[in-house]
Amino acid sequence: MDWQVIINGILLGGLYGLAAVGFSLIWGVMNIVDLAQGAYLTLGAYITFWLFKLWGVDPFLTLPVSAIILFSLGFIVESQIIKRVLRYGFVMLLVVTYGLNLLLQNAMLVAWSADYRSVTPSYSGAGISIAGVNIPYIRLALFIAALLLVALLTIFLNKTRIGNAIRATALNRLAANLVGIRTEFIYALTYSLAAALVGMAGSLISMVYTVSPNLGGAFMTKIFVVTVLGGFGSLPGAVLGGLILGITEALTASYIAPGLMNAVSFILLVVILIFRPQGLMGKQFYGA
Amino acid sequence: MNSSAVARRRFPLSIVALIVMVVILALLPFYIRGYWIRVLTTLFMSAVLAEALNLVVGYAGYAAFGNGVFFGIGAYTTAVLMTRLGWSFFPAMAASCFLAAALAFILGWPVLRLRGHYFAIATIGINMAVMEIVTYIGITGGGKGISLPIYPGNIVKQGLFFYYCMFILLILSVAITYWVANSRLGYGLRAIKTEPEAAEVMGVNTTLYKVLAWSISAALTGVAGSINAYWLTFLEPLFVFDIMISVEAFVMVLLGGPATIFGPVIGAFFLKLLSELIWSQFTLIHMGVLGLIIVIITLFLPSGIMGLWRQITLRWSKVRTTAANQ
């Protein structure tokens, strides 16, 4: 067994997990498949890139900026568009979020061109070597940051009043309304929170991938696979799904063929959907 | 209120309008330039894709977001059969039709058990998986693409040939939709859309009906892909398996009005003409404008043009009857 391959897969998998958490949360709480998440991810990556390029801000310090900007954007999108489309059902929501994705992606293309850009902090090359396995510091840091963010979200959902309100809304919107939760606000909050999370994922991803308007599109498909693998609405599921996808990709690329990496993950997606649509963790979001 | 009288009075008019429309479109190529023949051919193709998608999305209520996979399969089957095995076009087209339908039929049994988002995501997964496989295997030419033999004859003849191919396919797909909508299958599908459990209890073989609808949709999409491949003579996986093909068709269905016979055609003509006349010059913002249109449609026209039309005619007939009663 080649440990280098496994480790690479795990380190990448953490990022996949974080990227999928917001998508999974929206699906679990609001029952929306949000195809605009890819554009939010790209925007987060661009925020980090520009802050780094123009003012030399350390990429890790740009996380709060991404979070705030995307939280606001998410709030506007939810309260102006998503809220109005909710009553037309899920087909309309799929289409409208895809439309938003196109719009945002195109806006970024017009504003910043299709050039591939990269964020290169001074420490991007360094790493340590343990028993013949190379671990770049930056990938390790990204992995830890991703896990920390997911852990924070878990604590937020389970320990705070608002977190409990979000979970209650996911469970039963009507009943949550009856006990005095303003579910309309909770929906807006959940959507913004998810946008902020995927934006931060984008910020982290910009440190190891090249940034272009298409970045989000490539990650969107990973987000699908991860969410379906882990079971939608499940945060540990998203992390587990991310790790499995990361390892599967790494193993496929090195043992079967690099060209089949994506094909294998899509086939995995369809197979999991057919045989275990509730995902590996088995339980849907806190009930429902 | 005598609504049946209204319906009886309107019915022949719409038939006449339809026949006039068909005759005009059939004679049009002799009076217009090559550019407009090309535009109309694309328009017919989009209408076919929308109409095919309508069977699954509009009637059965299943969001086949990756329906474009059958377009790619149709295109690549034709390409491979014509270049590698030297088949002529029409047998290759028939094979494309059959293969697309067969794939939908086989995949339909497990995949159509999924509902809502799960089905949508599964179809996207299938679309991407097939694209990756086609890119990987050698016989399709892989990521470099594949060139088809060029249609024999001069450029005018060529234009006419593809115009009429797409036109006939469009008439066929409208006819099939009309037949489905008024057949047992159509009633079954609408029952499934409203309440799947109730439909099952009523004796509708839900899985079979859904699979049949998807297979018909796939067959039409596959033929469109096949004709398009022979028309363009060059294919690339990224181009024919683009998820945008399905998304555009989706927008056309929603714009025109899902679960109506002419809605998707109207939606396709409207969107494509608009795009051709207004924003095709600005290729940089093409996608963004489409996105904007999508958002506007969902916000302000959720039941589509046909839905709006129905509301207006309903209001008219109401006004007329109240006026008659007074």
Side-chain angles (χ1 to χ4, degrees), chain A residues 31 92 96 103 106 232 273 277, chain B residues 114 117-118 243 284-285 288 298 302:
Chain A
N31 198 23
M92 281 295 198
V96 79
L103 194 58
N106 200 229
F232 74 87
L273 271 173
Chain B
L114 302 167
H117 304 317
Y118 288 103
I243 210 93
L284 192 62
I285 56 163
T298 40

Side-chain angles (χ1 to χ4, degrees), chain A residues 23 27 31-33 35 80-81 84-85 88 90-92 94-96 98-100 102-103 106 109-110 221 224 228 232 256-257 259-260 262-263 266-267 269-270 273-275 277-278 284, chain B residues 57 61 63 65 110-111 113-114 116-118 120-122 124-126 128-129 132-133 136 243-244 247 250-251 254 284-292 294-295 297-299 301-303:
Chain A
F23 180 78
W27 190 346
N31 198 23
I32 295 174
V33 165
L35 298 175
Q80 296 306 314
I81 297 170
R84 291 166 212 266
V85 183
Y88 301 131
F90 82 95
V91 174
M92 281 295 198
L94 266 178
V95 174
V96 79
Y98 195 86
L100 278 168
L102 281 180
L103 194 58
N106 200 229
L109 179 72
V110 171
T221 52
F224 285 157
V228 168
F232 74 87
I256 304 175
L260 279 179
N262 288 329
F266 293 127
I267 291 168
L269 168 77
V270 177
L273 271 173
I274 290 170
F275 291 106
Q278 71 273 42
Q284 291 183 357
Chain B
V57 177
F65 225 70
V111 173
R113 283 186 317 168
L114 302 167
H117 304 317
Y118 288 103
I121 288 191
I124 296 175
I126 291 169
M128 304 307 276
E132 296 287 345
I133 292 167
Y136 184 73
I243 210 93
M244 281 309 298
V247 174
F250 236 97
V251 177
L254 293 181
L284 192 62
I285 56 163
H286 190 118
M287 289 293 157
V289 175
L290 183 65
L292 193 65
I294 292 175
V295 174
I297 292 170
T298 40
L299 283 179
L301 205 64
S303 55

Side-chain angles (χ1 to χ4, degrees), chain B residues 74-89:
Chain B
Y76 263 97
T77 311
T78 304
V80 169
L81 287 177
M82 286 180 79
T83 47
R84 308 268 189 252
L85 301 178
W87 288 31
S88 57
F89 174 62

Side-chain angles (χ1 to χ4, degrees), chain B residues 214-230:
Chain B
W214 206 30
S215 304
I216 297 172
S217 169
L220 289 173
T221 314
V223 175
S226 161
I227 298 173
N228 186 54
Y230 193 30

Side-chain angles (χ1 to χ4, degrees), chain B residues 176-192:
Chain B
I176 287 174
T177 310
Y178 181 80
W179 171 73
V180 167
N182 293 296
S183 71
R184 215 182 138 77
L185 179 62
Y187 288 107
L189 290 176
R190 274 171 285 204
I192 291 167

